[in-house]
Amino acid sequence: GDSVTQMEGPVTLSEEAFLTINCTYTATGYPSLFWYVQYPGEGLQLLLKATKADDKGSNKGFEATYRKETTSFHLEKGSVQVSDSAVYFCALLAGQNFVFGPGTRLSVLP
Amino acid sequence: DTAVSQTPKYLVTQMGNDKSIKCEQNLGHDTMYWYKQDSKKFLKIMFSYNNKELIINETVPNRFSPKSPDKAHLNLHINSLELGDSAVYFCASSQGAGIGEKLFFGSGTQLSVL
């Protein structure tokens, strides 16, 4: 079945450090790929998405590129801020089903 | 205006009780979902409705029963609550499930079963 795997957390970084959170997926066909972010005490909200191979999603300084050959959608940001501390979920949409990864907690220290 | 709203935000109850969580969306979306998030933040689909019709029903105990009176509402009723039901439950909606479709989430209901 369809599945999403992401790197185990928690990830702890200093402010202005470079961030990478790895995400790989397994799916039949050509899924749409997403990163969602969950801030403490809130629901998930869409961060960025990509709908086809080689598409790059970007928002708030975060980027991820849909790599069909490696079935990956790694999240990157060049300089993280304390306000980026949250749980990040990689997800795919295949058919009518959204499938989420287990989430990666990011803590950014001042 | 809150796009997807669910109530209550917190729910503390005893084992064996029956409780309901309500969800409403004002986005005009056709599809609504219930997700369960455990203590490790793992998010699992429970149900999905499209225009009041059940389309996804994952392996969930039949103590959980969703009800959709109209396409803007999807309520979750839980019978005979157990300790293992303690989690955060999220309602979500989407216009459909087409390419690039995205989910809009409510703020969650934290259920604690004592």
Side-chain angles (χ1 to χ4, degrees):
Chain A
D2 302 327
S3 66
V4 176
T5 303
Q6 24 179 143
M7 61 189 291
E8 294 282 333
V11 174
T12 303
L13 297 173
S14 298
E15 206 164 23
E16 299 184 3
F18 184 85
L19 168 70
T20 299
I21 301 178
N22 289 339
C23 170
T24 56
Y25 67 90
T26 302
T28 53
Y30 302 97
S32 298
L33 301 175
F34 307 82
W35 277 100
Y36 280 82
V37 58
Q38 184 181 25
Y39 298 103
E42 298 181 13
L44 282 73
Q45 52 187 279
L46 181 69
L47 180 60
L48 53 85
K49 68 177 184 181
T51 59
K52 60 184 188 297
D54 300 325
D55 267 4
K56 178 186 282 188
S58 60
N59 185 25
K60 299 180 181 180
F62 291 89
E63 293 183 341
T65 300
Y66 190 143
R67 300 286 187 202
K68 183 169 174 289
E69 63 277 12
T70 55
T71 62
S72 64
F73 194 55
H74 304 321
L75 182 68
E76 295 182 337
K77 186 175 185 182
S79 176
V80 294
Q81 306 300 313
V82 172
S83 57
D84 294 327
S85 298
V87 181
Y88 292 81
F89 293 87
C90 187
L92 65 82
L93 172 60
Q96 294 182 316
N97 194 15
F98 285 90
V99 178
F100 285 83
T104 301
R105 183 181 298 277
L106 170 66
S107 296
V108 180
L109 306 178
Chain B
D1 283 343
T2 303
V4 180
S5 59
Q6 50 182 112
T7 56
K9 188 169 178 62
Y10 300 97
L11 185 53
V12 181
T13 188
Q14 300 287 332
M15 280 177 56
N17 284 350
D18 303 337
K19 290 293 179 184
S20 292
I21 307 172
K22 296 185 176 182
C23 179
E24 175 182 6
Q25 54 93 4
N26 63 5
L27 298 166
H29 287 168
D30 290 335
T31 308
M32 295 185 72
Y33 310 78
W34 276 108
Y35 283 86
K36 179 180 179 181
Q37 186 176 47
D38 63 24
S39 58
K40 295 184 179 180
K41 297 297 185 182
F42 189 73
L43 201 65
K44 183 176 180 181
I45 182 76
M46 299 175 70
F47 303 103
S48 173
Y49 270 72
N50 182 271
N51 272 318
K52 303 193 298 177
E53 182 178 340
L54 181 66
I55 56 172
I56 293 176
N57 184 359
E58 292 295 308
T59 305
V60 175
N62 58 15
R63 297 181 295 103
F64 290 79
S65 54
K67 287 185 171 52
S68 183
D70 55 62
K71 75 172 192 176
H73 295 83
L74 181 61
N75 304 322
L76 183 65
H77 189 75
I78 315 170
N79 288 329
S80 303
L81 278 155
E82 300 178 356
L83 293 177
D85 298 333
S86 296
V88 181
Y89 293 84
F90 286 100
C91 178
S93 74
S94 66
Q95 178 55 44
I99 294 175
E101 198 60 67
K102 68 179 186 180
L103 288 170
F104 291 78
F105 282 84
S107 57
T109 295
Q110 184 166 330
L111 172 64
S112 299
V113 182
L114 307 178

